[in-house]
Amino acid sequence: MKTGSDHLAALRDGRIVYFQGAEAGDVTAHHAFRNAVASAAALYDFQAANAELMTVASPTSGGRVNRAWALPDSYEALVARRQAMEAWAGTHYGFMGRSPDHVASCLAGMAMAPEVFEAYDPARAAALLDYFAYARDNDLFLTYVIINPQADRSKATHAQADEYLTAGIVDEDSTGLTLRGAKMLATSSIMANEVFVSCIQPLGPGDEKYAVSLALPMNAPGLKLLSRKSYELAAPSVYDNPLASRFDENDAVIYFDDVKVPWDRVFVAGNTAMMLKQFHATPAHVLQNYQCQVRLAVKLRFLMGIARRIAEINGTIALPPVRETLGQLAAEAAMVDGLVHGMEAKGTVRNGYYIPDAHLLYSAQVLTQQLYTRIIASLRNLAGGGLIMLPSGVEDFANPEIARLIGKTQQSPTASSEERVRFFKLAWDAIGSEFASRHTQYEMFYAGASFVTKGHSFRTYDWAGAGAMVDRMLSSYPAPTLSALSGDAVTIPA
């Protein structure tokens, strides 16, 4: 079974990561990434220590692999999958948005509907299924890049000033294709084994060279990661930034500098229609975003704990307006939890596999995009100035005079001065720091812009059933006739 040390060893693979003007080298040791990488490795140690909960036997190798690679064939199997995901998310409090079970869920959804790929190209379908088995049996940590660089959003992909701004096919031969250009948003790429490269945005005529789906190891020749700012690096200590210092999963742009991809790693090439079909004509999009909602439900439970502790430490828990706010927050968190359970209860069977209900999933996405910012604002209102009027750092406690003043100025009816400071440092890192701001942006847009998620909700709702109810009501009473009318004031429209 894969362990944390196995994962760390696999990351020392010579991958090219650019950070602050230079190559970062070994990401397991670099001071901008090492703690987050260690948190990713800890997922596999947790998995190994909780094998019955977290893993299943691979149907090909017999080895134990994460449940995200399993293809659920019943309601009970889907619930077991969710319980494993909840447990994993609990280790990072929901702050690692692209943990290994996310992209594994995406590929599992594609493997549930191989006929979609076979109708396009049997050879590419075989490549997908072979790769899925390989990734599963090695329990790989995959990230993905499925969004094109923003550039000029008013123009189609092929109409950008740089033909290869977006990663596209430069050349192909009997051995494979060559990829050039950029993709985003490679969240967790620093700590992943491989990357799934595709496009979830609509592509049109002229965009064929950008219509690719394939998988590559992170150390593939010519593959280059351009890391964003490291919040871990900016976190002076675990005490001052308990989340940012350990769970900054990082985001990056990937540039493919004429990367050669063998055909056994290519699942779609040059077919724009298949770009959306691979996600929406298979359970892939539903299964991957079901994982997101499971993780978010865990994260909201953590934020609920932050909310109540703020009120307790500030001595406001008994105030009616505060209890009203906490009650509203609790209802919103429970709604997300209920939607996750509803997706499972309303699931359907396809090809012998049990799939979460699509519309409840997309309903959750629409609502939580709006909800997360409101929850963060409510926690800020509960905390007030306590979030920012904190000692400059853990070092202040080492100075007796400063520590004495902290004791006089950081008071609470339920906590010592040190406990109060420690808690509000955590609360700030969860809802107010730069790390927290990135999470607000992530929760708002990881599923796409709001019009995208609302479009999914529109597409999957049972409009026919709702319309049938209206028709049944209309047919339950007669249309007006002269004999049915009474009273001189009634007229029949022309």
Side-chain angles (χ1 to χ4, degrees), residues 12 44 67 107 125 139 206 268 296 321 456 471 481:
R12 302 184 186 103
Y44 292 103
R67 281 189 184 273
L107 290 181
D139 212 354
V268 181
L296 181 59
H456 292 324
D471 290 338
T481 62

Side-chain angles (χ1 to χ4, degrees), residues 373-387:
T373 54
R374 294 207 305 267
I375 288 176
I376 296 301
S378 293
L379 267 64
R380 284 171 169 265
N381 283 330
L382 285 171
L387 279 176

Side-chain angles (χ1 to χ4, degrees), residues 54-87:
M54 297 299 303
T55 69
V56 296
S58 164
T60 51
S61 72
R64 304 296 297 188
V65 297
N66 190 270
R67 281 189 184 273
W69 295 109
L71 309 183
D73 57 5
S74 67
Y75 167 78
E76 291 75 17
L78 187 63
V79 169
R81 181 190 192 87
R82 185 244 304 157
Q83 291 169 338
M85 290 174 172
E86 285 178 322

Side-chain angles (χ1 to χ4, degrees), residues 244-296:
S245 63
R246 293 180 289 177
F247 303 121
D248 180 21
E249 61 190 339
N250 200 271
D251 309 287
V253 170
I254 296 186
Y255 187 78
F256 301 92
D257 196 356
D258 287 8
V259 177
K260 188 62 180 285
V261 189
W263 285 118
D264 63 0
R265 291 296 195 106
V266 178
F267 319 130
V268 181
N271 188 304
T272 58
M274 268 301 294
M275 288 294 96
L276 292 182
K277 285 183 180 179
Q278 65 182 330
F279 291 106
H280 296 295
T282 76
H285 197 250
V286 168
L287 210 59
Q288 73 187 50
N289 285 295
Y290 164 75
Q291 181 274 337
C292 291
Q293 291 300 313
V294 172
R295 175 199 57 81
L296 181 59

